[in-house]
Amino acid sequence: MAHTALTQPAPAAIPTRSAWQRVRASRGWAGFWFMLPTALILGLFLAYPLLKGIWLSFTNARIGREGVFVGLENYEWLWDDDVFWLSVFNTCLYTAVASVVKFGVGLYLALLLNKNMPFKSIIRSIVLIPFVVPTVLSAIAFWWIFDSQFSIISWSLRHLGVINGNIDFLGEPAMARACVIFANIWRGVPFIAITLLAGLQTVSPSLYEAATLDGASNWQIFSRITLPLLTPIIAVVMTFSVLFTFTDFQLIWAMTRGGPVNATHLMATLSYQRGILSGTLGEGAAIATAMVPFLLAAIGISWFGLQRRAWQSGGNDR
Amino acid sequence: MSVLDRRSLLAGAAATGLAAGSDLLGFAKAWAQSAEWKPEPGASLSLLRWKRFVPAEDEAFMRLVDAFTKATGVKVTVTNESFDDIQPKASVAANTGQGPDMVWGLFSFPALFPDKCLPLEDVADSLGKKYGPWFPSAEAYGKVKGKWIAIPVAFNGGYPNYRISAMKKAGFDKFPTDTAGFLELCRGLKKNNTPAGFALGHATGDGNTWCHWALWSHGGNLVDANEKIVINSPETAKALEYVKSLYETFVPGTVSWNDSSNNKAFLAGDLYLTNNGISIYAAAKKDNPKLAEDMDHAVWPIGPVGKPTEFQLAFPILAFKYSKAPNACKAFIAFMMEAANYNPWLEAAQGYLCEPLSNYPKNPIWTSDPKNAVFAEAGRRSLAAGGLAPVSERIAAVLADFVIVDMFASHCTGREDVKGAIKNAERAATRIFRNT
């Protein structure tokens, strides 16, 4: 046997491939190459600024001057800062109230627009207007609407004999908060309405037909068919909505600059005021970084609270 | 003091020419030949400046820029931003080392990043010798730690603007000169339903200026000359009580006012006394001559401290160290401050701006209309942003954070009592002045 083996011709040598050829042929490496540009862009424009911001929050950096590491000092000062905690309260209130109302109104509008009605396309376009108008423009319009001297609302009510003097919309803390929340709702509703409308249109009409034949009521149809099938979209849209609302800046800055007496300062506006206008970059970064846990919690609630796939597919909730 | 040298004669000659035939270009060419600072070959400059409030001022300024370009070959690109946007943009430029060569902004913004500013000792000295001395407040805004880092180009006088008829109806023939009389006037105006109103919102100019006047006029200060926090004092408490009494006479809504709110309300006939530059009067003269005829201006009343405690807007210009054309920057700044350029431009500003040096030739704008005269005093009478303390990045932060405005506003609105309002301001100051 050994002899035979020795006399047999040697098998053809397996062609050796260079490392470069193996890399080129590998599907795993191909995936890596395709992902690399995206990873670089995300790293450069997302991860780096985030990490840099977190680092800055541990320094005493000022505008135009590198800071030195000061540990938790900026956070310790914030912990004992009434204005910071007021901004946290304002941000949570602003986000919670605006998001809930935007969802309610948005869902209602979506259901309404999903029905067959005359001029459906035109009405859908009109609904989008608040979302299309640049935020600063709409904020300035609201600033005028809520102006302490020239408010159209005050003017109308005075001429109708309902009130004697002007309403101090943006000068009284509770009223100012209500006004900025209203402006945010006005601006945010179309995004939710149109997105939910898109979701509604993916629901098969046959499900509604079957339910109707089974004698289901409108509420049953809504709660057993529409809502469960819409839940994944609601999860996505509310996550975005909460994120946008929590980090809102333009509306507040154009309407109140955080006033009166900081009553409408959000964490984002306070961070800008302290970090850029006052020049204390480290402290501004600390306020911005302090938003991260709140944002993660908000995302978590809206994502995991609504993303109940088992339930949607007929299983039990976990 | 003015020094009679070749350049002065040249400038004087050119100024005469300007008056006769507006030969700005002729002056510019003559100036460029003898200028101390020779722009770098092929230099071009970019300038970020505050947005015009008086259109004629902007036009005159652009003529000046044009003449500089034609005389020196240095192209100057000018961009405008509103008051509030200058500082953040300048801050970003300072931090990144990229952006405009020069920034012309408000108050003490150069003090936010003094290390990034091109030293302007030579320009300041030259202008000081020629037209000086600098007013003390101008020097305070131009210098940080004894070094010139910016040139205070002009002041904007923010003074009480009032309706003459309303003042007379309230029982005053002349505008009161002390704080007690001022309060009485406001009470009288309120009684006659012709109210006063001063911004207590985050109004960078109007809010900061009158609130600092109120504090200083009662002897209160945020910090002393050594930056020790001294806001917690009986004088501050008196100032708070005084401002609360004033606030009770105000038209509703002042807590939400920004810098433009009082202009609109005054021109609309809803407001009869406020603090502002000359822009309300300029607008009234153009669009509502009857209102202009019935309005006048006064210096700020003097409080218990017994001396003027005004806080006026200052407009310093800086050049960044990163500029590739530092000489061109210096040449431009010196050129714009030459009397032959400065005076016609100041005249075009219609009293909105006034000089920072004590010996500029008298500008006709201050005498052409007696109602303008008070605004000529802004540079001379104003204190600098720090009050007792030198202008610094921390003082700039106090203004940007509205520490004093919020102290008064929180007490006036009833959110805090006197002690609480002072405590909050003290804490904000401690945060800003902490040793890190």
Side-chain angles (χ1 to χ4, degrees), chain A residues 60 63-65 73-74 77 80 143 147-149 168 170 257 260-262 272-274 277-278 281 283, chain B residues 84 87-88 91 95 112 116 202 252-253 255-258 264 393 397 400-401 406 415 427 431 434 436:
Chain A
N60 62 356
I63 293 279
R65 205 178 65 200
E73 188 183 307
N74 288 320
W77 277 90
D80 195 25
W143 177 57
D147 189 273
S148 54
Q149 265 73 43
D168 193 4
L170 299 179
R257 299 261 153 136
V261 203
N262 304 316
Y272 175 74
Q273 183 174 302
R274 297 262 174 97
L277 298 185
S278 300
L281 273 181
E283 201 173 314
Chain B
D84 295 325
Q87 184 173 310
S91 297
N95 224 34
L112 281 171
K116 305 288 175 179
H202 287 180
V255 185
S256 65
W257 277 8
N258 64 19
K264 288 183 293 172
E393 56 189 7
D401 249 7
D406 281 350
R415 214 183 100 189
R427 199 192 173 285
R431 178 176 56 74
R434 71 184 194 261
T436 56

Side-chain angles (χ1 to χ4, degrees), chain A residues 12-78:
Chain A
I14 298 167
T16 53
R17 290 188 301 171
S18 67
W20 173 239
Q21 283 170 322
R22 284 201 303 275
V23 166
R24 283 185 63 188
S26 161
R27 287 175 65 83
W29 276 104
F32 172 80
W33 291 123
F34 277 115
M35 281 170 63
L36 189 62
T38 311
L40 283 176
I41 289 169
L42 287 176
L44 195 64
F45 296 109
L46 206 72
Y48 172 72
L50 182 67
L51 294 175
K52 175 88 177 175
I54 293 171
W55 163 249
L56 277 176
S57 73
F58 294 112
T59 71
N60 62 356
R62 297 187 76 99
I63 293 279
R65 205 178 65 200
E66 290 291 327
V68 294
F69 182 75
V70 292
L72 292 171
E73 188 183 307
N74 288 320
Y75 293 98
E76 285 165 11
W77 277 90
L78 289 179

Side-chain angles (χ1 to χ4, degrees), chain B residues 251-264:
Chain B
V251 67
T254 53
V255 185
S256 65
W257 277 8
N258 64 19
D259 277 303
S260 66
S261 303
N262 61 343
N263 295 50
K264 288 183 293 172

Side-chain angles (χ1 to χ4, degrees), chain B residues 216-245:
Chain B
W216 294 340
S217 67
H218 285 78
N221 276 287
L222 186 69
V223 286
D224 67 10
N226 298 315
E227 293 191 338
K228 185 186 165 201
I229 296 158
V230 293
I231 189 72
N232 195 348
S233 68
E235 289 81 10
T236 307
K238 279 180 192 157
L240 278 163
E241 282 156 11
Y242 177 78
V243 169
K244 179 142 196 191
S245 304

